Amino acid sequence: MDDETAAQLRALEDRVAALERASAAAPHAAPDAAPDADVDAPHAATPDGDAFWALDGLTRRAGGPGSTGAVMVVGDVTTPAGDTARWQYALTTDDVLAADWADVAPVLAALGHPVRLALLRAVLDGTRTARDLAAAVDVGSTGQVYHHLRQLQAAGWLRTAAGGEHVVPAERLVPLLTTVLGGLR
């Protein structure tokens, strides 16, 4: 990431944090109606009925005359195993479209196998060693488990921690869950 993009990202993160602080201090106003483009989108409304609170905040931050918008991944997560992550990342639409998408192919490809997804799910549930993962996920041989674990590690979805335990790095936890969420849609 070049210096200008990093500075823009830091500025966007600062603005989102300020918005979150202001938002926590004042109640949200529920929208009269959802924009037409969002009619079929699933939303989790807050208790005050503000279904588009995150989208509205991002639009205020990245919007403006001539803006093409922005995309943000954000989450506050605790897994069944007790791992936690509070994480956000955002880029303008122009920056995402200008990126070389071929660079993300290996990262996405690592998630493209049902056994690897099952291994990641087992790790999030608290099964951490290769031996325990082999027993928990119907993979076949321990060698096959190691093959899939290496693929996930090479793509950054897993890291080996103390004692040979596998963990999803905190900076990958929210992106992993949002990628799965996108697949569920």
Side-chain angles (χ1 to χ4, degrees):
M1 180 179 334
D2 66 346
D3 291 341
E4 182 180 328
T5 302
Q8 289 173 341
L9 179 59
R10 280 191 301 278
L12 182 59
E13 289 172 337
D14 291 345
R15 291 177 10 210
V16 169
L19 177 63
E20 288 171 343
R21 286 191 300 274
S23 177
H28 297 295
D32 293 335
D36 291 341
D38 299 317
V39 170
D40 67 305
H43 349 286
T46 58
D48 62 4
D50 189 2
F52 293 104
W53 58 273
L55 181 59
D56 291 342
L58 179 61
T59 301
R60 281 192 301 275
R61 297 285 184 187
S67 170
T68 59
V71 178
M72 176 178 248
V73 176
V74 61
D76 183 359
V77 176
T78 301
T79 68
D83 298 320
T84 61
R86 293 184 45 148
W87 193 86
Q88 69 181 33
Y89 184 71
L91 288 175
T92 67
T93 304
D94 292 338
D95 288 337
V96 173
L97 294 175
D100 185 354
W101 288 17
D103 291 344
V104 301
V107 175
L108 296 175
L111 298 178
H113 196 289
V115 169
R116 292 185 200 132
L117 292 173
L119 288 168
L120 286 166
R121 177 60 199 255
V123 168
L124 294 179
D125 285 341
T127 305
R128 300 291 172 93
T129 66
R131 181 177 153 195
D132 291 341
L133 287 165
V137 177
D138 186 23
V139 178
S141 71
T142 305
Q144 289 172 323
V145 169
Y146 280 108
H147 165 76
H148 290 295
L149 291 173
R150 278 192 303 275
Q151 296 295 316
L152 291 167
Q153 287 175 329
W157 294 112
L158 280 181
R159 176 175 62 225
T160 304
E165 292 191 347
H166 297 280
V167 297
V168 175
E171 68 274 8
R172 285 299 192 129
L173 183 53
V174 172
L176 173 62
L177 295 178
T178 56
T179 301
V180 172
L181 176 64
L184 294 173
R185 171 77 170 103

